[in-house]
Amino acid sequence: MPDSVRHESQCTICAHPQREEIDRDFVTWASSTRIAKEYRLARTSIYRHAHATGLFLRRQTNVRTALEKIIERASEVKANAAAVVSAIQAYAKINAQGQWIERRETVNLNELFDRMSREELEAYARDGALPGWFPTRAEQESNQNAS
Ligand SMILES: [Zn+2]
């Protein structure tokens, strides 16, 4: 019997009427404690199910969603500015597949984010607006080529 079939026959989540919601919550980084509480599940079954059905991988590629939530919340709550800045920096380094991309301009970006004021960071977190003095990617690349 293939592993996936054996898993499905024993798994409370696979047979759960709200399986789709549970899967979606998991891959969008809802906390497993909250999922367990909300759907009355054991956390161990959630992890077993996630391993067997490849949800971990899907969640990994969804890391941008988690960072987006942090960045979005920055305008609502008094978020710790350092946490917002690191979320923005991490977001800038992660591609759509959830892979961490180290780029040469990372150091420049760090310096640029450090130069942004609290208001500018909040504007960026709220609607992605960068301050006028922020160099465009093309400018950054030409600087790199020059150096
Ligand atoms: Zn399952």
Side-chain angles (χ1 to χ4, degrees):
M1 199 155 55
D3 282 355
S4 60
V5 175
R6 194 171 53 224
H7 167 79
E8 278 172 33
S9 67
Q10 295 170 349
C11 176
T12 49
I13 299 173
C14 284
H16 199 285
Q18 285 166 292
R19 178 187 167 169
E20 267 179 48
E21 285 104 304
I22 297 168
D23 284 3
R24 194 181 47 230
D25 284 359
F26 187 87
V27 300
T28 55
W29 293 88
S31 93
S32 57
T33 311
R34 188 181 74 61
I35 298 175
K37 221 169 164 177
E38 191 171 329
Y39 302 97
R40 295 169 184 275
L41 300 161
R43 281 180 69 198
T44 48
S45 356
I46 298 172
Y47 284 120
R48 209 181 307 121
H49 171 77
H51 270 299
T53 58
L55 291 184
F56 271 102
L57 197 67
R58 278 174 57 199
R59 186 171 78 163
Q60 222 169 39
T61 68
N62 244 339
V63 70
R64 287 167 69 100
T65 311
L67 293 171
E68 278 164 12
K69 282 183 187 166
I70 297 174
I71 298 170
E72 264 172 26
R73 274 178 42 208
S75 57
E76 291 161 22
V77 296
K78 285 201 173 123
N80 171 341
V84 176
V85 174
S86 18
I88 293 171
Q89 287 169 342
Y91 187 80
K93 284 188 223 167
I94 290 168
N95 70 12
Q97 283 73 48
Q99 293 160 330
W100 189 271
I101 307 296
E102 279 297 346
R103 288 189 289 236
R104 281 189 57 219
E105 69 263 36
T106 299
V107 176
N108 292 345
L109 273 181
N110 288 347
E111 286 168 8
L112 290 169
F113 281 121
D114 285 345
R115 278 172 54 196
M116 284 167 77
S117 69
R118 168 90 201 217
E119 288 73 27
E120 286 168 342
L121 280 173
E122 280 177 357
Y124 179 64
R126 197 170 52 244
D127 37 47
L130 286 165
W133 55 263
F134 208 95
T136 64
R137 177 162 302 253
E139 281 166 349
Q140 284 176 39
E141 275 163 13
S142 69
N143 286 346
Q144 267 175 28
N145 294 340
S147 62

